[in-house]
């Protein structure tokens, strides 16, 4: 199943990248091995020189990992994919592969906390500076460009405020600047949004989230043109932020149900968001699938639906927000998302707790803000669990 062009996405999610072994197993095999053996010395030499593209060592190639890479590239509509140990390993690998000292990144404020810290605190030590701009302000992206700008990095919808970045517009600004546009497609997955179709050059994933979908393993991926993934591969081969074949296998099996999970979790999120809007204890609901979202129309142009993360601001700041969390009996109190189990988190004191208060304010993360990543339970049960702490 490697000639995948004409197949529907739900078929690709189940069939792309299968390489059966001599045993003819039906389900994808798990090749849990660190290295591979050669028939003879000449083959070993050819493998190491690259003349023979067979496997050598699982730091840089493994058949189970290859299945994941082929499948995800097909789903995103990209030329190639490199899987990594985590989402952050993917973002680091992309930066190391495409940037050098003296280069400049333009990134949105509305980024995952660790992405922001990686850019602001780690890459800066190696002479790569980042200018963070208001997530939805196209003029600010344009104004942030410098002669040495090489990479634009955005998330849409953003975490946790679900701000929408106009993909086509930012792609045009990046390309005018001679830079690549990379999009963290964690929240939508290729089921709901395919950034490459809107002009993005590269998609990165935390496969830890919806691609696995059941909160079991860490993983990440970079999808894009071979010119980029080949550079990423060189970094992976030498630096080793590689995914375990076991984790890759779990994610491969997760992809098979991605479409039905994303559609069902997104429908649950919309139902929950509508109910939250009616609660007097809540001052604001952030969900791209609601007509009240300031960028609802743009979201519906880029995304098939609003996705599964709903954030909302309760009246009464941190105390009221923590009360909602502490009154839950079913919803999992955890920073993770992208699980069949609904999760709740207070971004200001958890996922976004380490950034400066000024940066937090600029990103719009208030003390009353809560983020719910809606799972596959009955929406009525999720509602009842939240209603207790909201006094509704
Ligand atoms: C979780 C997450 C990451 C980081 O992924 P890990 O797999 O935890 O390293 C990056 N971006 C977004 C949007 C995330 O939610």
């Amino acid at each position: 199943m490697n000639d995948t062009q004409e197949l529907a996405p739900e078929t690709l999610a189940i069939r792309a990248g299968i390489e059966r072994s001599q045993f003819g197993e039906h389900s994808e095999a798990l090749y849990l091995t660190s290295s591979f053996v050669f028939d003879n010395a000449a083959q070993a030499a050819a493998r190491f020189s690259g003349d023979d593209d067979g496997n050598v060592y699982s730091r840089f190639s493994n058949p189970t990992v290859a299945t994941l890479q082929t499948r995800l590239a097909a789903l995103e509509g990209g030329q190639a994919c490199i899987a990594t140990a985590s989402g952050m390993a993917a973002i680091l690998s992309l930066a190391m592969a495409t940037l050098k000292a003296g280069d400049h990144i333009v990134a949105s404020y509305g980024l995952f906390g660790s992405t922001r810290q990686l850019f602001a605190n780690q890459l800066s030590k190696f002479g790569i500076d980042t200018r963070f701009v208001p997530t939805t302000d196209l003029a600010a992206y344009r104004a942030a460009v410098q002669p040495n700008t090489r990479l634009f990095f955005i998330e849409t919808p953003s975490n946790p405020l679900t701000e929408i970045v106009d993909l086509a517009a930012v792609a045009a600004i990046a390309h005018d600047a001679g830079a690549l546009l990379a999009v963290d497609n964690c929240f939508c997955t290729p089921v709901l949004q395919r950034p490459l179709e809107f002009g993005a050059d590269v998609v990165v994933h935390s496969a830890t989230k919806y691609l696995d979908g059941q909160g079991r393993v860490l993983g990440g991926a970079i999808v894009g043109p071979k010119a980029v993934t080949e550079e990423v591969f060189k970094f992976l081969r030498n630096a080793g932020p590689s995914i375990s074949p076991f984790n890759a296998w779990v994610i491969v099996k997760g992809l098979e149900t991605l479409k039905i999970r994303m559609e069902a979790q997104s429908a649950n999120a919309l139902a929950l968001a509508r109910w939250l809007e009616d609660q007097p204890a809540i001052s604001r609901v952030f969900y791209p699938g609601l007509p009240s979202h300031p960028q609802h129309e743009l979201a519906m142009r880029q995304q098939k639906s609003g996705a599964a993360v709903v954030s909302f601001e309760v009246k009464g700041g941190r105390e009221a927000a923590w009360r909602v969390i502490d009154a839950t009996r079913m919803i999992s109190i955890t920073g993770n998302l992208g699980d069949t189990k609904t999760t709740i988190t207070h971004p200001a004191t958890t996922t976004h707790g380490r950034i400066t208060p000024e940066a937090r304010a600029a990103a719009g993360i208030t003390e009353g803000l809560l983020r719910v990543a809606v799972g596959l339970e009955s929406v009525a049960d999720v509602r009842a669990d939240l209603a207790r702490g909201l006094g509704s």
Side-chain angles (χ1 to χ4, degrees):
M1 282 312 308
N2 286 322
D3 181 18
T4 53
Q5 285 308 314
E6 68 286 2
L7 298 173
E10 55 268 44
T11 310
L12 295 172
I14 293 168
R15 297 275 176 182
I18 294 177
E19 298 262 15
R20 293 207 167 89
S21 79
Q22 66 195 90
F23 300 113
E25 68 284 349
H26 185 211
S27 180
E28 294 76 356
L30 166 53
Y31 293 95
L32 204 52
T33 180
S34 49
S35 70
F36 298 82
V37 294
F38 313 110
D39 293 340
N40 49 51
Q43 191 187 46
R47 291 269 175 96
F48 272 83
S49 72
D51 289 341
D52 173 337
D53 64 6
N55 294 294
V56 173
Y57 190 52
S58 287
R59 184 181 340 110
F60 45 93
S61 77
N62 175 282
T64 308
V65 175
T67 297
L68 171 61
Q69 292 175 161
T70 303
R71 195 167 285 188
L72 197 53
L75 287 172
E76 286 288 3
Q79 256 182 3
C81 169
I82 300 288
T84 56
S86 66
M88 291 320 303
I91 296 167
L92 172 66
S93 301
L94 177 70
M96 298 306 271
T98 58
L99 301 171
K100 60 181 187 318
D103 286 348
H104 179 250
I105 303 173
V106 174
S108 53
Y109 274 122
L111 290 184
F112 184 68
S114 288
T115 308
R116 198 191 153 84
Q117 287 185 67
L118 174 72
F119 290 176
N121 304 337
Q122 260 79 47
L123 294 184
S124 57
K125 290 198 292 190
F126 300 92
I128 297 167
D129 287 324
T130 302
R131 175 72 177 280
F132 294 97
V133 299
T135 304
T136 61
D137 184 347
L138 294 176
Y141 286 91
R142 207 172 289 114
V145 170
Q146 299 179 4
N148 56 343
T149 302
R150 294 286 171 270
L151 181 68
F152 275 56
F153 193 97
I154 59 171
E155 256 175 71
T156 183
S158 71
N159 179 16
L161 291 178
T162 73
E163 289 174 287
I164 307 297
V165 185
D166 186 330
L167 287 168
V170 174
I173 296 167
H175 296 159
D176 277 351
L180 293 173
L181 171 62
V183 178
D184 185 330
N185 200 25
C186 177
F187 272 37
C188 276
T189 82
V191 170
L192 301 183
Q193 170 175 275
R194 303 217 302 171
L196 302 181
E197 288 176 356
F198 292 90
D201 302 285
V202 178
V203 167
V204 301
H205 272 288
S206 170
T208 314
K209 312 295 168 52
Y210 296 98
L211 303 189
D212 167 11
Q214 292 164 71
R216 298 166 294 193
V217 298
L218 293 176
I222 297 142
V223 181
K226 286 208 171 111
V228 170
T229 59
E230 279 166 7
E231 290 303 308
V232 173
F233 179 76
K234 286 180 202 162
F235 176 72
L236 184 92
R237 181 173 181 139
N238 293 323
S242 321
I243 189 167
S244 155
F246 178 79
N247 290 10
W249 177 80
V250 171
I251 296 162
V252 161
K253 301 313 285 179
L255 286 179
E256 297 186 5
T257 55
L258 183 64
K259 182 167 189 282
I260 55 171
R261 283 188 286 106
M262 289 310 294
E263 288 174 354
Q265 288 179 234
S266 182
N268 283 355
L270 177 60
L272 184 73
R274 285 189 176 132
W275 175 79
L276 289 168
E277 269 198 318
D278 290 338
Q279 303 314 305
I282 292 175
S283 50
R284 209 171 149 195
V285 179
F286 302 86
Y287 184 66
L290 288 175
S292 62
H293 189 287
Q295 298 168 291
H296 176 64
E297 275 177 34
L298 172 62
M300 294 302 102
R301 266 206 309 279
Q302 296 183 172
Q303 304 173 205
K304 290 212 175 76
S305 66
V309 174
V310 183
S311 292
F312 55 96
E313 217 165 66
V314 295
K315 297 172 187 164
R318 181 189 297 197
E319 201 184 318
W322 280 21
R323 200 158 51 231
V324 173
I325 291 180
D326 292 342
T328 59
R329 293 178 195 155
M330 175 190 78
I331 297 173
S332 311
I333 305 169
T334 171
N336 199 23
L337 61 89
D339 200 297
T340 53
K341 296 179 174 70
T342 298
T343 66
I344 189 165
T345 192
H346 183 244
T349 50
T350 60
T351 53
H352 292 67
R354 283 166 184 269
I355 60 177
T356 63
E358 298 74 42
R360 203 155 49 232
I365 316 283
T366 62
E367 291 288 327
L369 188 76
L370 289 167
R371 185 194 75 193
V372 173
V374 183
L376 284 178
E377 305 97 334
S378 144
V379 188
D381 290 336
V382 174
R383 237 170 10 222
D385 213 28
L386 292 171
R388 216 174 295 112
L390 290 169
S392 34

